Amino acid sequence: MKYVGREHERGITTLTLNSPENRNALSADLVAELANALRRCAVDQDVRAVVLDHTGPTFSAGADLKSPANPYAFVELLRAIVELPKPVVARVDGSARAGGLGLLGACDLVLASAGSTFAFTEVRIGVAPAIISLTLLPRMDARAASRYYLTGERFDAAEAARIGLVTEAVEELGPAVDSVCEAFRKAAPQGLAEAKRLVTARVLEAFERDAEDLVQRSATLFASGPAREGMTAFFERRDASWVL
């Protein structure tokens, strides 16, 4: 099975997360395939920009709890998106949760349909949005990060745009994505690469400073007793023991 589809048209390569049976969860296989596809895009002179799309109603549900990616592999995937010398646009038409939001933070632009929803659900299974903070905290409103990291509440695309998680919430997603792709087609590759280096500098500083600490913190949390209880409750479709 291919976990990441690829299409190319007039300088724009679309990479499509294609594991709808588990809501495009970030499994080891999906993360590896997406990283390989991005490496190819980085050296392909025919690729002016990348659109990150999804099949099914969920962009990504976050970590695959049954077949998780190695945390270092996930860090490298996020960094590959940030460092790609070409713009990466996420196209979200549905829901995005937990680790899937880390992918959005890594992308240069995020366009979401007005009906899309988002949530940092980690706290509800006893862990925290550790690794994805590398791409999210440099971009998001700090007060909003506090609220949604701590509550796990679901919020809509308009709120996601207000707090800096997405670039724009739109009624017509297709034309919005087409519009930015047309702009990329008019831009010089060198100009795009150098402009991207400017706007991603703060995100890359977070990788240099915090990546190892956050990987270790994430590993400790996922191996903990509360996390085991939270994941068991999730699979058994019941409340965790701490729910009041």
Side-chain angles (χ1 to χ4, degrees):
M1 174 180 175
K2 287 195 67 172
Y3 292 91
V4 179
R6 185 184 187 278
E7 296 180 352
H8 183 84
E9 182 181 2
R10 293 179 54 223
I12 307 300
T13 291
T14 299
L15 302 178
T16 302
L17 306 182
N18 186 37
S19 186
E21 70 282 352
N22 68 352
R23 301 188 300 154
N24 295 316
L26 299 168
S27 65
D29 288 334
L30 187 147
V31 166
E33 280 196 26
L34 182 55
N36 286 335
L38 289 166
R39 279 192 286 270
R40 291 194 294 272
C41 289
V43 298
D44 188 341
Q45 295 185 1
D46 291 333
V47 178
R48 183 71 52 85
V50 173
V51 174
L52 187 57
D53 202 351
H54 62 100
T55 56
T58 301
F59 176 81
S60 176
D64 186 335
L65 300 180
K66 294 182 178 179
S67 179
N70 180 285
Y72 287 104
F74 185 46
V75 168
E76 288 308 309
L77 170 61
L78 296 178
R79 186 162 191 156
I81 297 172
V82 175
E83 289 190 323
L84 192 79
K86 303 164 187 192
V88 182
V89 181
R91 183 186 191 279
V92 182
D93 190 15
S95 62
R97 300 288 186 265
L101 303 186
L103 290 180
L104 302 186
C107 292
D108 302 292
L109 284 80
V110 181
L111 300 176
S113 63
S116 295
T117 64
F118 307 84
F120 295 96
T121 52
E122 290 91 342
V123 291
R124 299 191 177 184
I125 63 166
V127 295
I131 291 174
I132 63 174
S133 290
L134 291 167
T135 61
L136 291 165
L137 292 185
R139 299 189 189 274
M140 286 180 61
D141 174 81
R143 284 295 187 185
S146 293
R147 174 175 180 171
Y148 294 117
Y149 270 35
L150 293 169
T151 65
E153 293 172 293
R154 185 175 67 179
F155 52 97
D156 63 17
E159 175 70 351
R162 185 191 72 80
I163 67 177
L165 175 63
V166 310
T167 307
E168 188 177 4
V170 298
E171 294 295 335
E172 298 291 335
L173 189 54
V177 174
D178 289 344
S179 178
V180 297
C181 288
E182 282 301 313
F184 296 147
R185 290 182 175 113
K186 296 174 183 177
Q190 176 177 280
L192 289 174
E194 291 304 314
K196 178 166 178 172
R197 286 181 62 192
L198 293 173
V199 297
T200 58
R202 286 182 59 227
V203 181
L204 288 173
E205 286 175 5
F207 278 84
E208 297 298 334
R209 183 183 64 243
D210 301 326
E212 180 62 26
D213 173 66
L214 291 174
V215 166
Q216 295 302 322
R217 193 180 310 186
S218 178
T220 298
L221 287 170
F222 271 96
S224 69
R228 287 193 294 273
E229 162 61 12
M231 288 185 282
T232 300
F234 174 81
F235 288 126
E236 294 179 353
R237 298 182 181 274
R238 61 170 174 83
D239 286 341
S241 59
W242 53 76
V243 175
L244 300 176

